[in-house]
PDB file of all heavy atoms in Angstrom:
ATOM      1  N   ASN A 421     141.115  61.909 113.485  1.00 67.00           N
ATOM      2  CA  ASN A 421     140.545  63.253 113.627  1.00 67.00           C
ATOM      3  C   ASN A 421     141.620  64.332 113.524  1.00 67.00           C
ATOM      4  O   ASN A 421     141.422  65.371 112.896  1.00 67.00           O
ATOM      5  CB  ASN A 421     139.806  63.370 114.966  1.00 67.00           C
ATOM      6  CG  ASN A 421     138.587  62.474 115.033  1.00 67.00           C
ATOM      7  OD1 ASN A 421     137.993  62.176 113.981  1.00 67.00           O
ATOM      8  ND2 ASN A 421     138.207  62.018 116.216  1.00 67.00           N
ATOM      9  N   ASN A 422     142.791  64.076 114.134  1.00 64.00           N
ATOM     10  CA  ASN A 422     143.882  65.051 114.060  1.00 64.00           C
ATOM     11  C   ASN A 422     144.365  65.231 112.628  1.00 64.00           C
ATOM     12  O   ASN A 422     144.588  66.347 112.161  1.00 64.00           O
ATOM     13  CB  ASN A 422     145.034  64.613 114.960  1.00 64.00           C
ATOM     14  CG  ASN A 422     144.660  64.666 116.438  1.00 64.00           C
ATOM     15  OD1 ASN A 422     143.776  65.442 116.829  1.00 64.00           O
ATOM     16  ND2 ASN A 422     145.317  63.837 117.255  1.00 64.00           N
ATOM     17  N   GLU A 423     144.552  64.118 111.920  1.00 58.00           N
ATOM     18  CA  GLU A 423     145.021  64.204 110.522  1.00 58.00           C
ATOM     19  C   GLU A 423     143.995  64.942 109.671  1.00 58.00           C
ATOM     20  O   GLU A 423     144.338  65.769 108.811  1.00 58.00           O
ATOM     21  CB  GLU A 423     145.265  62.809 109.969  1.00 58.00           C
ATOM     22  CG  GLU A 423     146.466  62.112 110.603  1.00 58.00           C
ATOM     23  CD  GLU A 423     146.653  60.720 110.055  1.00 58.00           C
ATOM     24  OE1 GLU A 423     145.800  60.293 109.244  1.00 58.00           O
ATOM     25  OE2 GLU A 423     147.645  60.055 110.427  1.00 58.00           O
ATOM     26  N   GLN A 424     142.724  64.671 109.891  1.00 60.00           N
ATOM     27  CA  GLN A 424     141.693  65.321 109.086  1.00 60.00           C
ATOM     28  C   GLN A 424     141.635  66.824 109.380  1.00 60.00           C
ATOM     29  O   GLN A 424     141.479  67.648 108.473  1.00 60.00           O
ATOM     30  CB  GLN A 424     140.342  64.676 109.376  1.00 60.00           C
ATOM     31  CG  GLN A 424     139.224  65.155 108.457  1.00 60.00           C
ATOM     32  CD  GLN A 424     137.949  64.380 108.698  1.00 60.00           C
ATOM     33  OE1 GLN A 424     137.895  63.539 109.596  1.00 60.00           O
ATOM     34  NE2 GLN A 424     136.930  64.680 107.900  1.00 60.00           N
ATOM     35  N   SER A 425     141.805  67.192 110.673  1.00 59.00           N
ATOM     36  CA  SER A 425     141.782  68.626 111.018  1.00 59.00           C
ATOM     37  C   SER A 425     142.980  69.355 110.431  1.00 59.00           C
ATOM     38  O   SER A 425     142.857  70.468 109.921  1.00 59.00           O
ATOM     39  CB  SER A 425     141.747  68.776 112.540  1.00 59.00           C
ATOM     40  OG  SER A 425     142.926  68.216 113.114  1.00 59.00           O
ATOM     41  N   GLU A 426     144.174  68.720 110.452  1.00 55.00           N
ATOM     42  CA  GLU A 426     145.365  69.346 109.859  1.00 55.00           C
ATOM     43  C   GLU A 426     145.179  69.531 108.362  1.00 55.00           C
ATOM     44  O   GLU A 426     145.531  70.572 107.800  1.00 55.00           O
ATOM     45  CB  GLU A 426     146.583  68.487 110.142  1.00 55.00           C
ATOM     46  CG  GLU A 426     146.997  68.503 111.616  1.00 55.00           C
ATOM     47  CD  GLU A 426     148.175  67.575 111.876  1.00 55.00           C
ATOM     48  OE1 GLU A 426     148.616  66.935 110.893  1.00 55.00           O
ATOM     49  OE2 GLU A 426     148.632  67.485 113.031  1.00 55.00           O
ATOM     50  N   GLU A 427     144.648  68.538 107.693  1.00 51.00           N
ATOM     51  CA  GLU A 427     144.437  68.667 106.245  1.00 51.00           C
ATOM     52  C   GLU A 427     143.430  69.766 105.950  1.00 51.00           C
ATOM     53  O   GLU A 427     143.591  70.544 105.001  1.00 51.00           O
ATOM     54  CB  GLU A 427     143.944  67.323 105.689  1.00 51.00           C
ATOM     55  CG  GLU A 427     145.019  66.252 105.698  1.00 51.00           C
ATOM     56  CD  GLU A 427     144.490  64.938 105.189  1.00 51.00           C
ATOM     57  OE1 GLU A 427     143.274  64.904 104.860  1.00 51.00           O
ATOM     58  OE2 GLU A 427     145.255  63.957 105.120  1.00 51.00           O
ATOM     59  N   ASN A 428     142.386  69.867 106.771  1.00 52.00           N
ATOM     60  CA  ASN A 428     141.404  70.915 106.530  1.00 52.00           C
ATOM     61  C   ASN A 428     142.005  72.301 106.752  1.00 52.00           C
ATOM     62  O   ASN A 428     141.707  73.254 106.029  1.00 52.00           O
ATOM     63  CB  ASN A 428     140.195  70.719 107.450  1.00 52.00           C
ATOM     64  CG  ASN A 428     139.420  69.458 107.105  1.00 52.00           C
ATOM     65  OD1 ASN A 428     139.450  69.043 105.941  1.00 52.00           O
ATOM     66  ND2 ASN A 428     138.746  68.845 108.077  1.00 52.00           N
ATOM     67  N   ASP A 429     142.895  72.433 107.799  1.00 50.00           N
ATOM     68  CA  ASP A 429     143.534  73.731 108.050  1.00 50.00           C
ATOM     69  C   ASP A 429     144.453  74.133 106.906  1.00 50.00           C
ATOM     70  O   ASP A 429     144.557  75.284 106.526  1.00 50.00           O
ATOM     71  CB  ASP A 429     144.332  73.673 109.350  1.00 50.00           C
ATOM     72  CG  ASP A 429     143.406  73.516 110.561  1.00 50.00           C
ATOM     73  OD1 ASP A 429     142.203  73.818 110.393  1.00 50.00           O
ATOM     74  OD2 ASP A 429     143.883  73.040 111.620  1.00 50.00           O
ATOM     75  N   GLN A 430     145.171  73.121 106.323  1.00 48.00           N
ATOM     76  CA  GLN A 430     146.129  73.434 105.273  1.00 48.00           C
ATOM     77  C   GLN A 430     145.454  73.639 103.927  1.00 48.00           C
ATOM     78  O   GLN A 430     145.875  74.452 103.119  1.00 48.00           O
ATOM     79  CB  GLN A 430     147.153  72.308 105.156  1.00 48.00           C
ATOM     80  CG  GLN A 430     148.045  72.197 106.399  1.00 48.00           C
ATOM     81  CD  GLN A 430     148.978  71.002 106.300  1.00 48.00           C
ATOM     82  OE1 GLN A 430     148.904  70.276 105.333  1.00 48.00           O
ATOM     83  NE2 GLN A 430     149.820  70.835 107.299  1.00 48.00           N
ATOM     84  N   VAL A 431     144.401  72.901 103.662  1.00 45.00           N
ATOM     85  CA  VAL A 431     143.838  72.875 102.310  1.00 45.00           C
ATOM     86  C   VAL A 431     142.476  73.549 102.255  1.00 45.00           C
ATOM     87  O   VAL A 431     141.848  73.640 101.207  1.00 45.00           O
ATOM     88  CB  VAL A 431     143.716  71.403 101.833  1.00 45.00           C
ATOM     89  CG1 VAL A 431     143.428  71.342 100.360  1.00 45.00           C
ATOM     90  CG2 VAL A 431     145.000  70.646 102.136  1.00 45.00           C
ATOM     91  N   GLY A 432     141.998  74.097 103.354  1.00 49.00           N
ATOM     92  CA  GLY A 432     140.628  74.620 103.379  1.00 49.00           C
ATOM     93  C   GLY A 432     140.409  75.784 102.446  1.00 49.00           C
ATOM     94  O   GLY A 432     139.354  75.901 101.817  1.00 49.00           O
ATOM     95  N   ASP A 433     141.386  76.686 102.343  1.00 48.00           N
ATOM     96  CA  ASP A 433     141.196  77.889 101.553  1.00 48.00           C
ATOM     97  C   ASP A 433     141.575  77.716 100.094  1.00 48.00           C
ATOM     98  O   ASP A 433     141.482  78.662  99.306  1.00 48.00           O
ATOM     99  CB  ASP A 433     142.040  79.024 102.146  1.00 48.00           C
ATOM    100  CG  ASP A 433     141.601  79.321 103.583  1.00 48.00           C
ATOM    101  OD1 ASP A 433     140.407  79.043 103.882  1.00 48.00           O
ATOM    102  OD2 ASP A 433     142.438  79.788 104.379  1.00 48.00           O
ATOM    103  N   LEU A 434     142.062  76.551  99.673  1.00 45.00           N
ATOM    104  CA  LEU A 434     142.517  76.335  98.301  1.00 45.00           C
ATOM    105  C   LEU A 434     141.356  75.887  97.432  1.00 45.00           C
ATOM    106  O   LEU A 434     140.387  75.302  97.913  1.00 45.00           O
ATOM    107  CB  LEU A 434     143.604  75.263  98.269  1.00 45.00           C
ATOM    108  CG  LEU A 434     144.913  75.618  99.021  1.00 45.00           C
ATOM    109  CD1 LEU A 434     145.846  74.423  98.992  1.00 45.00           C
ATOM    110  CD2 LEU A 434     145.590  76.831  98.396  1.00 45.00           C
ATOM    111  N   PRO A 435     141.449  76.129  96.111  1.00 49.00           N
ATOM    112  CA  PRO A 435     140.423  75.586  95.198  1.00 49.00           C
ATOM    113  C   PRO A 435     140.518  74.066  95.121  1.00 49.00           C
ATOM    114  O   PRO A 435     141.472  73.454  95.594  1.00 49.00           O
ATOM    115  CB  PRO A 435     140.764  76.266  93.858  1.00 49.00           C
ATOM    116  CG  PRO A 435     142.171  76.721  93.999  1.00 49.00           C
ATOM    117  CD  PRO A 435     142.396  77.035  95.436  1.00 49.00           C
ATOM    118  N   GLU A 436     139.548  73.464  94.440  1.00 50.00           N
ATOM    119  CA  GLU A 436     139.453  72.000  94.437  1.00 50.00           C
ATOM    120  C   GLU A 436     140.642  71.353  93.733  1.00 50.00           C
ATOM    121  O   GLU A 436     141.196  70.360  94.207  1.00 50.00           O
ATOM    122  CB  GLU A 436     138.151  71.570  93.742  1.00 50.00           C
ATOM    123  CG  GLU A 436     136.908  71.982  94.521  1.00 50.00           C
ATOM    124  CD  GLU A 436     135.657  71.499  93.820  1.00 50.00           C
ATOM    125  OE1 GLU A 436     135.784  70.904  92.738  1.00 50.00           O
ATOM    126  OE2 GLU A 436     134.557  71.707  94.375  1.00 50.00           O
ATOM    127  N   ILE A 437     141.088  71.866  92.595  1.00 46.00           N
ATOM    128  CA  ILE A 437     142.193  71.245  91.844  1.00 46.00           C
ATOM    129  C   ILE A 437     143.465  71.284  92.658  1.00 46.00           C
ATOM    130  O   ILE A 437     144.209  70.300  92.778  1.00 46.00           O
ATOM    131  CB  ILE A 437     142.371  71.949  90.486  1.00 46.00           C
ATOM    132  CG1 ILE A 437     141.079  71.815  89.659  1.00 46.00           C
ATOM    133  CG2 ILE A 437     143.562  71.390  89.740  1.00 46.00           C
ATOM    134  CD1 ILE A 437     141.108  72.561  88.357  1.00 46.00           C
ATOM    135  N   GLU A 438     143.781  72.461  93.276  1.00 49.00           N
ATOM    136  CA  GLU A 438     144.991  72.572  94.065  1.00 49.00           C
ATOM    137  C   GLU A 438     144.903  71.724  95.330  1.00 49.00           C
ATOM    138  O   GLU A 438     145.904  71.196  95.809  1.00 49.00           O
ATOM    139  CB  GLU A 438     145.230  74.047  94.421  1.00 49.00           C
ATOM    140  CG  GLU A 438     145.514  74.929  93.201  1.00 49.00           C
ATOM    141  CD  GLU A 438     145.774  76.372  93.609  1.00 49.00           C
ATOM    142  OE1 GLU A 438     145.711  76.645  94.826  1.00 49.00           O
ATOM    143  OE2 GLU A 438     146.041  77.188  92.731  1.00 49.00           O
ATOM    144  N   ARG A 439     143.702  71.594  95.888  1.00 50.00           N
ATOM    145  CA  ARG A 439     143.545  70.770  97.072  1.00 50.00           C
ATOM    146  C   ARG A 439     143.884  69.302  96.763  1.00 50.00           C
ATOM    147  O   ARG A 439     144.565  68.633  97.533  1.00 50.00           O
ATOM    148  CB  ARG A 439     142.106  70.883  97.579  1.00 50.00           C
ATOM    149  CG  ARG A 439     141.897  70.164  98.929  1.00 50.00           C
ATOM    150  CD  ARG A 439     140.453  70.224  99.379  1.00 50.00           C
ATOM    151  NE  ARG A 439     140.018  71.607  99.552  1.00 50.00           N
ATOM    152  CZ  ARG A 439     139.050  72.188  98.868  1.00 50.00           C
ATOM    153  NH1 ARG A 439     138.420  71.491  97.926  1.00 50.00           N
ATOM    154  NH2 ARG A 439     138.691  73.441  99.092  1.00 50.00           N
TER     155      ARG A 439
END
Side-chain angles (χ1 to χ4, degrees):
N421 294 332
N422 293 334
E423 291 178 356
Q424 188 174 4
S425 62
E426 290 177 359
E427 290 178 359
N428 293 332
D429 293 341
Q430 293 176 358
V431 192
D433 299 334
L434 296 176
E436 294 182 358
I437 299 175
E438 295 181 359
R439 187 183 300 118

